[in-house]
Amino acid sequence: MQIKIHRGSHQIGGSIVEIKTERTRIIIDIGEELPSVDKRDREFNIEGVTTGTPNCDAVLVTHYHGDHVGMFEKVLPEVPIYMGEIAKRIFHIVQQTIKKKLDKGNPELIERFKTFAPGKRIKIKDITITPLMIDHSAFDAYALLIEAEGKRILHTGDFRMHGARGSKMPLVFEKYASNIDVLIPEGTMLGRISEKVKTQHELTQEAEELMKQHKNMFVLCSSTNIDSIASFYNAAIKNRKPFIVCDYQSEILKIVTKSSKSSFYDFARQKIYTYKSNLHNMMSKVGFCMMVRVNYRSEQAIKAFPENILIYSQWSGYLDKDRSAFDKRIHNFVEKAKHAGSKVVSLHTSGHAPAEDIKKLCEITKPKIIIPIHVEDPKNFTKLGIKSEIKILNDGEIFEC
């Protein structure tokens, strides 16, 4: 069996991994490079997958973040794309919104995606894939256990153990993914080893306290970071504050509520309002928690309530106006909010595992070999004190296992 990292061996985002047997060829993730990458290769292609004669049995997407699925439109129509069922429905709404607002999305193509479910094996010729639901800032995210030719490979996708479902992750890996031949783990946080990571529970508690202290709260976070949205929603319930979102976010939360059995993700426990100016009277009287997006409508809402707190719940790097190739809209949005009177407070938790949890994963799965991806400097894996062999590949290099 062969493993090839087409992209992602020495960078975060844009990950594409190929696993191939004599009979079968699959791709895991088909990501677009992040805006922070200095030189984005927009002409990047893979023979038989995105160009030329079709020669691939499946593309499997671990979750709906753009750096894992952003190149889906380039996949040849003869090559099936698989994704989690709920992730597909959320991603379809994302694409519908992009098409409506920017005339760029492709929801019709998403409708043709095949789906997989946690723990249910998929057989593609001589490769068996077991999707394992994991904890990540994207809802319905997966690690993939690949079995073929007597070998067991675990591709972690993006994962963490400090989110709302994080405590279950060791048990999932112990049950399904012990004694792995090759582990392909993400290492996003290994470049920020000293950074203290909040748990989702801690974030929820801090949100509750801030709502007690401030009548009017705006929150800027990713519209598909369901865990963080749930934290602020639960804090709003605790403080008896109206919870306000846009139409786009409302549709996503309806999908999550119908699909989850956890009360943490039950967005029907208290009415959710979709923002319109006719809510201003109620908002003025009782206060509110409103999720905002980087757009003109949110800017106007913030101006209408100058005495407010704006919670910034995204990666701090997005506020670095000098960052290479950075989309300055987020930075400018936050600066405008400050000028309008907002008190800006950062309250965020990473969607990625810190070093100690990456090490814990390695100790549970006991891989013979580790091939790092989604990491700026894969040599950082050698500093974790892991007994397994660390095999550092370059993009395009083939490893025989």
Side-chain angles (χ1 to χ4, degrees), residues 216-233:
N216 304 328
M217 176 183 285
F218 294 99
V219 181
L220 178 61
C221 82
S222 167
S223 295
T224 56
N225 187 337
I226 307 303
D227 279 34
S228 286
I229 294 173
S231 285
F232 290 104
Y233 175 75

Side-chain angles (χ1 to χ4, degrees), residues 86-103:
I86 307 307
K88 174 185 171 179
R89 292 168 63 189
I90 292 173
F91 192 49
H92 186 263
I93 290 177
V94 172
Q95 290 296 305
Q96 280 183 322
T97 303
I98 293 172
K99 186 169 185 177
K100 181 179 179 181
K101 301 289 186 182
L102 304 174
D103 198 27

